[in-house]
mmCIF file of all heavy atoms in Angstrom:
data_model
loop_
_atom_site.group_PDB
_atom_site.id
_atom_site.type_symbol
_atom_site.label_atom_id
_atom_site.label_comp_id
_atom_site.label_asym_id
_atom_site.label_seq_id
_atom_site.Cartn_x
_atom_site.Cartn_y
_atom_site.Cartn_z
ATOM 1 N N ARG A 10 -10.038 0.691 7.299
ATOM 2 C CA ARG A 10 -10.747 1.824 7.622
ATOM 3 C C ARG A 10 -10.075 2.537 8.830
ATOM 4 O O ARG A 10 -9.891 3.756 8.891
ATOM 5 C CB ARG A 10 -12.212 1.550 7.940
ATOM 6 C CG ARG A 10 -13.006 1.240 6.750
ATOM 7 C CD ARG A 10 -14.543 1.239 6.987
ATOM 8 N NE ARG A 10 -15.189 0.874 5.761
ATOM 9 C CZ ARG A 10 -15.468 1.740 4.774
ATOM 10 N NH1 ARG A 10 -15.010 2.930 4.778
ATOM 11 N NH2 ARG A 10 -16.102 1.312 3.717
ATOM 12 N N ILE A 14 -8.294 6.470 8.227
ATOM 13 C CA ILE A 14 -9.137 7.598 8.621
ATOM 14 C C ILE A 14 -8.291 8.893 8.609
ATOM 15 O O ILE A 14 -8.684 9.911 7.959
ATOM 16 C CB ILE A 14 -9.737 7.409 9.955
ATOM 17 C CG1 ILE A 14 -10.832 6.363 9.911
ATOM 18 C CG2 ILE A 14 -10.239 8.699 10.556
ATOM 19 C CD1 ILE A 14 -11.419 6.011 11.308
ATOM 20 N N SER A 28 -20.041 0.024 -4.391
ATOM 21 C CA SER A 28 -20.970 -0.627 -5.309
ATOM 22 C C SER A 28 -20.188 -1.192 -6.494
ATOM 23 O O SER A 28 -20.774 -1.969 -7.265
ATOM 24 C CB SER A 28 -21.985 0.421 -5.849
ATOM 25 O OG SER A 28 -21.364 1.405 -6.614
ATOM 26 N N TYR A 38 -10.821 1.569 0.238
ATOM 27 C CA TYR A 38 -10.080 2.755 0.256
ATOM 28 C C TYR A 38 -9.348 2.943 -1.066
ATOM 29 O O TYR A 38 -8.881 1.989 -1.683
ATOM 30 C CB TYR A 38 -8.998 2.687 1.348
ATOM 31 C CG TYR A 38 -8.013 3.794 1.326
ATOM 32 C CD1 TYR A 38 -8.277 5.070 1.900
ATOM 33 C CD2 TYR A 38 -6.654 3.610 0.892
ATOM 34 C CE1 TYR A 38 -7.339 6.062 1.875
ATOM 35 C CE2 TYR A 38 -5.752 4.649 0.890
ATOM 36 C CZ TYR A 38 -6.116 5.864 1.444
ATOM 37 O OH TYR A 38 -5.140 6.880 1.471
ATOM 38 N N GLY A 43 -0.525 11.389 -7.663
ATOM 39 C CA GLY A 43 -0.002 11.779 -9.014
ATOM 40 C C GLY A 43 -0.578 10.825 -9.973
ATOM 41 O O GLY A 43 -1.745 10.636 -10.043
ATOM 42 N N VAL A 45 -0.399 7.699 -9.938
ATOM 43 C CA VAL A 45 -0.571 6.375 -9.400
ATOM 44 C C VAL A 45 -1.966 6.312 -8.735
ATOM 45 O O VAL A 45 -2.394 7.191 -8.069
ATOM 46 C CB VAL A 45 0.521 6.083 -8.232
ATOM 47 C CG1 VAL A 45 0.180 4.837 -7.480
ATOM 48 C CG2 VAL A 45 1.852 5.989 -8.853
ATOM 49 N N GLN A 69 -2.164 -14.016 -1.859
ATOM 50 C CA GLN A 69 -1.238 -14.395 -2.895
ATOM 51 C C GLN A 69 0.162 -13.796 -2.626
ATOM 52 O O GLN A 69 1.164 -14.208 -3.338
ATOM 53 C CB GLN A 69 -1.734 -14.000 -4.280
ATOM 54 C CG GLN A 69 -2.913 -14.716 -4.799
ATOM 55 C CD GLN A 69 -3.314 -14.173 -6.169
ATOM 56 O OE1 GLN A 69 -2.922 -13.003 -6.538
ATOM 57 N NE2 GLN A 69 -4.080 -14.872 -6.891
ATOM 58 N N LEU A 78 14.611 1.098 6.604
ATOM 59 C CA LEU A 78 14.588 2.391 7.310
ATOM 60 C C LEU A 78 15.811 3.227 7.024
ATOM 61 O O LEU A 78 15.771 4.439 6.921
ATOM 62 C CB LEU A 78 14.429 2.157 8.872
ATOM 63 C CG LEU A 78 14.277 3.347 9.718
ATOM 64 C CD1 LEU A 78 13.042 4.138 9.330
ATOM 65 C CD2 LEU A 78 14.167 2.889 11.202
ATOM 66 N N ARG A 79 16.968 2.584 6.848
ATOM 67 C CA ARG A 79 18.193 3.316 6.577
ATOM 68 C C ARG A 79 18.160 4.114 5.303
ATOM 69 O O ARG A 79 18.859 5.048 5.076
ATOM 70 C CB ARG A 79 19.403 2.406 6.630
ATOM 71 C CG ARG A 79 19.506 1.431 5.534
ATOM 72 C CD ARG A 79 20.734 0.456 5.654
ATOM 73 N NE ARG A 79 20.680 -0.602 4.636
ATOM 74 C CZ ARG A 79 19.973 -1.693 4.850
ATOM 75 N NH1 ARG A 79 19.372 -1.966 5.875
ATOM 76 N NH2 ARG A 79 20.008 -2.623 3.835
ATOM 77 N N THR A 103 6.257 -9.983 -3.989
ATOM 78 C CA THR A 103 6.515 -11.283 -4.608
ATOM 79 C C THR A 103 5.350 -12.134 -4.342
ATOM 80 O O THR A 103 4.952 -12.291 -3.193
ATOM 81 C CB THR A 103 7.818 -11.937 -4.043
ATOM 82 O OG1 THR A 103 8.907 -11.021 -4.333
ATOM 83 C CG2 THR A 103 8.089 -13.268 -4.829
ATOM 84 N N PHE A 115 5.645 5.072 -4.970
ATOM 85 C CA PHE A 115 4.815 6.094 -4.251
ATOM 86 C C PHE A 115 5.662 7.248 -3.810
ATOM 87 O O PHE A 115 6.848 7.036 -3.514
ATOM 88 C CB PHE A 115 4.180 5.429 -3.008
ATOM 89 C CG PHE A 115 3.258 4.302 -3.229
ATOM 90 C CD1 PHE A 115 3.666 2.957 -2.948
ATOM 91 C CD2 PHE A 115 1.995 4.463 -3.769
ATOM 92 C CE1 PHE A 115 2.834 1.896 -3.190
ATOM 93 C CE2 PHE A 115 1.202 3.408 -3.998
ATOM 94 C CZ PHE A 115 1.573 2.144 -3.695
#
Side-chain angles (χ1 to χ4, degrees):
R10 289 191 182 281
I14 288 173
S28 66
Y38 172 79
V45 172
Q69 291 177 341
L78 187 57
R79 68 182 173 276
T103 303
F115 300 106

